Amino acid sequence: RHAGRKSATPSLSLAEARAQHLALDWADYSPPRPAQPGVQVFDNYDLAELIEYIDWMPFFNAWEFAGRFPDILTDPVVGDAASSLYRDARQMLERIVAEQWFTPRGVLGLFPANAQGDDIIVHADESRGAERMRLHHLRQQKGKRRGDPQLCLSDFVAPVESGCADWIGAFAVTTGHELSARVEAFKQDNDDYNAILVEALADRLAEAFAECLHARVRREFWGYAADERLDSRQLIREAYQGIRPAPGYPACPDHTEKRLLWELLEVERHTDMVLTESLAMWPAASVSGFYFAHPEAKYFGVGKIDRDQVEDYAQRKGMSIEEAERWLSPVLGYDEARDAAA
């Protein structure tokens, strides 16, 4: 029964899903040109600034606390333990800033781009006469009751035929280069608690770095929301224009797109961040992704996809179907081994 449900999940062919794409009105839309296009490198970002962008709830989740921050601090059951952990975290953050335990490094870039089908063409320059690379995306294939569009990230970028001069952004940030030494020092002192605490805080600071740069992109570097004034709760609720989806996450579940992001930004040269053989980021306390600016851009999950889309995707990326199935295994809506045997 489970296998049957899995194979039946994608209810639309790729052609049908594409026919139901998100149809935005490009005739009445003028894509904002970035105030500062191109690549920008951040070699030692201010740690104190990043603290203001920390989302604390994932920190507590990592310690298996459930609830909302800051309400969890006064919870009748776990409030005392949560408050104690929070005090320890804030004290360690003070030391991290005062003693410069980490050197936040990052790079972002804003590039001329247009969509072509489910791909996004990144142009070599603003003349848009030469193609620098293509980013490849997947489209939802599970039918929707209300006839809602079958989304793909390329829907949020102006198609080539629209004549709109659109843009896309990319970023990669880390706070993890010095983390291993800090963790090892605590372990040498048999202090597992602080070893875990510093790892958790490095992760939170990396996410805060991503949040901070995205805010600056919206207000300053791209500038399409120059008057934005959001508090921390509004940022956590993502009450802003635009999105920053990451390869490997629901809207773009293929980790191999990180290779293109690394090439586009020259991430390793600018930040010393590398991709492992399995395409995990190193250092571990790192975040990367893309920027989309359209007012209707939103997060979504691709969900399960069928063989016709996998074959199409493999052809677009120049890889074998077997390799595509290996990287896309979490979202396959069919049993590739069973189908191959048949």
Side-chain angles (χ1 to χ4, degrees):
R1 286 198 302 271
H2 174 75
R5 284 197 301 271
K6 182 178 180 183
S7 62
T9 298
S11 53
L12 299 177
S13 69
L14 179 58
E16 291 170 331
R18 283 174 170 167
Q20 296 181 32
H21 68 277
L22 178 64
L24 297 175
D25 184 3
W26 297 106
D28 290 333
Y29 178 71
S30 297
R33 182 185 183 278
Q36 299 181 45
V39 173
Q40 298 191 59
V41 179
F42 306 90
D43 196 39
N44 187 9
Y45 207 87
D46 184 4
L47 281 164
E49 182 179 346
L50 301 185
I51 291 175
E52 302 304 314
Y53 289 88
I54 290 178
D55 178 1
W56 283 101
M57 204 57 247
F59 170 81
F60 286 103
N61 291 156
W63 294 82
E64 299 185 353
F65 285 96
R68 292 179 176 273
F69 180 84
D71 299 342
I72 195 172
L73 302 179
T74 54
D75 184 90
V77 177
V78 300
D80 288 345
S83 295
S84 177
L85 176 62
Y86 184 58
R87 283 194 298 271
D88 291 344
R90 297 297 304 199
Q91 289 172 2
M92 181 172 282
L93 278 175
E94 290 179 5
R95 291 192 63 191
I96 288 172
V97 173
E99 301 172 20
Q100 293 292 292
W101 285 10
F102 303 136
T103 305
R105 303 182 69 181
V107 57
L108 70 81
L110 302 170
F111 308 96
N114 285 102
Q116 187 171 69
D118 295 346
D119 290 342
I120 296 173
I121 299 171
V122 181
H123 301 290
D125 53 47
E126 289 193 61
S127 72
R128 299 173 188 263
E131 183 177 314
R132 180 172 178 181
M133 69 170 55
R134 285 185 179 231
L135 307 175
H136 313 89
H137 294 292
L138 295 163
R139 186 171 297 279
Q140 295 172 325
Q141 281 188 272
K142 184 176 181 180
K144 302 179 182 181
R145 292 180 181 177
R146 296 180 298 168
D148 289 343
Q150 306 296 127
L151 297 176
C152 176
L153 284 173
S154 64
D155 290 345
F156 304 134
V157 177
V160 172
E161 61 270 20
S162 71
C164 292
D166 212 344
W167 296 75
I168 193 170
F171 74 95
V173 298
T174 185
T175 56
H177 283 301
E178 297 89 357
L179 177 60
S180 297
R182 288 289 169 186
V183 170
E184 184 59 28
F186 281 122
K187 288 184 175 179
Q188 289 293 324
D189 289 338
N190 296 314
D191 189 349
D192 289 339
Y193 173 68
N194 277 315
I196 297 171
L197 185 60
V198 74
E199 282 188 301
L201 289 176
D203 286 339
R204 286 298 88 214
L205 286 167
E207 293 286 353
F209 196 0
E211 188 76 77
C212 175
L213 283 192
H214 193 193
R216 292 191 64 185
V217 163
R218 297 190 301 272
R219 297 193 302 250
E220 180 183 347
F221 303 132
W222 203 329
Y224 60 81
D227 297 328
E228 175 188 285
R229 297 293 181 270
L230 302 178
D231 61 28
S232 58
R233 292 197 176 194
Q234 290 172 309
L235 289 174
I236 291 169
R237 293 199 307 269
E238 297 165 354
Y240 45 73
Q241 177 181 327
I243 57 174
R244 59 170 193 277
Y249 282 77
C252 47
D254 180 14
H255 284 278
T256 67
E257 288 295 290
K258 287 181 196 165
R259 293 172 179 150
L260 295 174
L261 190 153
W262 248 244
E263 178 185 344
L264 184 62
L265 294 174
E266 297 183 89
V267 174
E268 187 169 348
R269 181 169 75 87
H270 290 311
T271 69
D272 288 332
M273 295 169 60
V274 299
L275 295 175
T276 68
E277 186 176 330
S278 62
L279 297 183
M281 293 177 287
W282 188 92
S286 301
V287 184
S288 64
F290 299 104
Y291 296 130
F292 292 78
H294 195 281
E296 294 192 42
K298 63 180 181 179
Y299 294 105
F300 63 91
V302 167
K304 299 297 184 182
I305 61 174
D306 216 339
R307 175 175 282 275
D308 59 347
Q309 181 159 198
V310 175
E311 292 174 348
D312 178 89
Y313 190 73
Q315 183 178 31
R316 285 155 50 202
K317 285 183 68 77
M319 61 171 54
S320 69
I321 293 174
E322 292 73 22
E323 184 182 5
E325 287 178 333
R326 180 167 66 87
W327 286 107
L328 297 175
S329 59
V331 297
L332 295 183
Y334 61 94
D335 188 328
E336 65 275 20
R338 184 184 63 195
D339 287 3

